């Protein structure tokens, strides 16, 4: 199909112009200028049709989400995103599809001033996959890492959890919600907001440990705990929940979504006791939520408001899990 050949032309301008792109789309490789005194942060994420988005998702949302989840990885490192590449693999491609896809990509790329600097387009037999590789900058030794949590740290999250998971349940009609709530949670699922500015600010303020919540709080906080060889206790009463979760679900069901469902793309970060005061103004001005603390005993427990330990039914989304 001729559109396959037209893609180079389609993306030639890179959506966003940047001075540090010496050579963008069109040659065998892009040439890029990394600023001195910066480390290069690089990450890739793939979305598979039917796994990461339902088969009938519109092309605008597919593109938006594919870039958003990559921006979220930059946010989780505290990095400033700069460039990305796009590998598209699909059975067929139409002009209207490509137009909407490009619009979704461009809207978010412009917001974050990230430039498309190359990619690859291949025909696949069955499902569509979209891989985006993103690159950004971080001042030397300032990256937010999973292995930096310490005993006594307070654990924070940047916003409501569980909305995207409820959005997925709603889009599959597993749960019946009033129209307005359904729209809200499905929007959370399809158009996540990557917390890029927050990640940068946390790094500047001396925070050292963060992750973005893509697979559910328990799973992702679990990665911090494993990497840092520590444990954590969470206070369920302090987990931030949207009005939709609070009003449409029983509280235990709401916690289940908030702890175990993926795709929220909020940040989870930990702060040393001696830093809390320094950060207090920033933390409260931004309505971040302290949800628990890091402890030496290497487990992850959730405290019910009545003081009991609460056991969630499912810990989080795992690829290749036995249940698949
Ligand atoms: P090559 O044969 O050297 O791999 P391609 O024909 O695959 O080159 O690509 C030609 C140019 O178009 C390259 O600069 C490549 O980066 C760009 N390109 C191809 N597909 C995409 C895409 N999906 N998004 C952005 N740029 C693309
Ligand atoms: Mg190629």
């Amino acid at each position: 199909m001729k559109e396959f050949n037209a893609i180079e032309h389609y993306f030639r301008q890179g959506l966003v112009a940047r001075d540090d792109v010496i050579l963008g789309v069109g040659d065998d490789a892009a040439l890029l200028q990394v600023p001195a005194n910066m480390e290069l942060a690089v990450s890739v994420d793939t979305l598979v049709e039917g796994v990461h988005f339902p088969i009938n998702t519109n092309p605008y949302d597919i593109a938006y989400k594919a870039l958003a989840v990559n921006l979220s990885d930059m946010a989780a490192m505290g990095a400033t995103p700069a460039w990305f590449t796009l590998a598209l693999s699909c059975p067929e491609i139409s002009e209207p599809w490509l137009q909407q896809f490009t619009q979704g990509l461009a809207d978010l790329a412009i917001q974050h001033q990230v430039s498309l600097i190359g990619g690859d387009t291949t025909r696949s037999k069955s499902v569509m996959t979209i891989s985006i590789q993103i690159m950004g900058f971080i001042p030397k030794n300032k990256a937010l890492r999973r292995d930096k949590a310490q005993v006594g740290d307070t654990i924070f999250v940047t916003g409501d959890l569980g909305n995207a998971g409820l959005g997925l349940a709603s889009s599959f009609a597993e749960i019946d919600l009033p129209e307005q709530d359904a729209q809200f949670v499905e929007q959370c699922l399809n158009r996540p907001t990557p917390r890029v500015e927050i990640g940068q600010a946390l790094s500047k303020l001396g925070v050292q440990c963060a992750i973005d919540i893509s697979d559910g709080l328990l799973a992702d906080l679990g990665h911090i705990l494993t990497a840092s060889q520590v444990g954590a206790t969470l206070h369920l009463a302090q987990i931030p929940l949207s009005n939709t979760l609070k009003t449409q679900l029983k509280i235990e069901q709401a916690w289940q979504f908030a702890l175990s469902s993926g795709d929220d793309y909020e940040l989870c970060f930990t702060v040393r006791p001696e830093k809390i005061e320094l950060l207090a103004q920033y933390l409260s001005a931004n309505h971040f939520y302290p949800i628990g603390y890091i402890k030496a005993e290497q487990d992850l427990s959730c405290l019910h408001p009545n003081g009991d330990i609460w056991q969630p039914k499912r810990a989080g989304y795992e690829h290749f899990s036995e249940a698949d």
Side-chain angles (χ1 to χ4, degrees):
M1 207 174 284
K2 74 174 190 323
E3 282 77 10
F4 264 81
N5 304 325
I7 287 194
E8 178 193 342
H9 175 75
Y10 226 86
F11 291 135
R12 166 86 57 175
Q13 302 308 324
L15 312 173
V16 167
R18 289 178 60 107
D19 291 344
D20 52 12
V21 178
I22 300 163
L23 193 58
V25 171
D27 212 311
D28 294 310
L31 298 174
L32 308 162
Q33 186 68 54
V34 182
N37 304 318
M38 291 281 187
E39 288 170 359
L40 186 66
V42 182
S43 170
V44 63
D45 251 324
T46 300
L47 300 195
V48 179
E49 183 182 43
V51 178
H52 300 97
F53 56 90
I55 287 182
N56 292 323
T57 307
N58 73 62
Y60 183 103
D61 285 342
I62 295 173
Y64 193 100
K65 186 157 181 175
L67 184 54
V69 303
N70 277 279
L71 288 164
S72 178
D73 282 324
M74 291 289 108
M77 297 303 288
T80 302
W83 315 304
F84 69 103
T85 60
L86 167 69
L88 260 182
S89 183
C90 50
E92 57 187 35
I93 209 160
S94 73
E95 186 82 25
W97 189 94
L98 203 54
Q99 253 165 24
Q100 287 180 53
F101 184 87
T102 307
Q103 196 58 53
L105 210 55
D107 283 353
L108 196 57
I110 290 166
Q111 240 183 74
H112 292 274
Q113 286 299 298
V114 286
S115 184
L116 176 61
I117 47 100
D120 195 25
T121 312
T122 52
R123 198 185 298 271
S124 68
K125 285 226 164 70
S126 50
V127 294
M128 175 192 309
T129 66
I130 297 127
S131 288
I132 287 184
Q133 181 186 50
I134 196 158
M135 287 147 277
F137 315 132
I138 178 93
K140 287 202 167 105
N141 297 316
K142 295 292 275 182
L144 307 173
R145 298 168 48 136
R146 298 178 179 188
D147 59 1
K148 295 288 181 186
Q150 286 187 358
V151 175
D153 285 7
T154 302
I155 304 165
F156 288 85
V157 290
T158 53
D160 294 338
L161 302 180
N163 288 334
L166 186 58
L168 191 64
S170 165
S171 73
F172 284 134
E174 286 164 7
I175 272 181
D176 200 22
L177 296 174
E179 184 58 30
Q180 232 184 336
D181 292 289
Q183 261 177 21
F184 166 69
V185 290
E186 287 179 36
Q187 179 85 357
C188 293
L189 175 68
N190 291 326
R191 307 257 182 99
T193 303
R195 303 298 186 191
V196 177
E197 294 79 10
I198 295 174
Q200 290 166 8
L202 293 173
S203 156
K204 281 203 187 89
L205 287 165
V207 171
Q208 296 186 330
C209 180
I211 194 165
D212 65 325
I213 306 176
S214 53
D215 294 335
L217 177 65
L218 295 184
D220 291 313
L221 175 58
H223 295 317
I224 287 185
L225 303 183
T226 305
S228 301
Q229 297 184 288
V230 291
T233 296
L234 299 178
H235 298 285
L236 292 174
Q238 289 168 227
I239 303 285
L241 303 169
S242 67
N243 276 331
T244 298
L245 257 79
K246 280 193 264 195
T247 57
Q248 298 299 321
L249 302 177
K250 293 201 185 83
I251 189 65
E252 303 222 339
Q253 207 182 4
W255 288 333
Q256 189 67 50
F257 272 103
L259 296 176
S260 310
S261 66
D263 275 348
D264 285 315
Y265 298 99
E266 296 295 344
L267 298 182
C268 172
F269 60 97
T270 82
V271 182
R272 308 255 152 94
E274 66 271 18
K275 285 262 175 195
I276 288 276
E277 218 163 297
L278 191 74
L279 280 167
Q281 213 180 348
Y282 177 75
L283 296 173
S284 61
N286 287 281
H287 305 290
F288 296 151
Y289 304 86
I291 56 166
Y293 58 91
I294 298 289
K295 63 185 181 185
E297 195 189 347
Q298 289 184 28
D299 63 17
L300 174 49
S301 38
C302 302
L303 279 185
H304 192 282
N306 68 13
D308 291 345
I309 300 248
W310 187 74
Q311 210 58 53
K313 285 201 194 78
R314 192 168 156 265
Y317 188 80
E318 262 182 71
H319 295 274
F320 311 114
S321 73
E322 282 166 37
D324 282 346

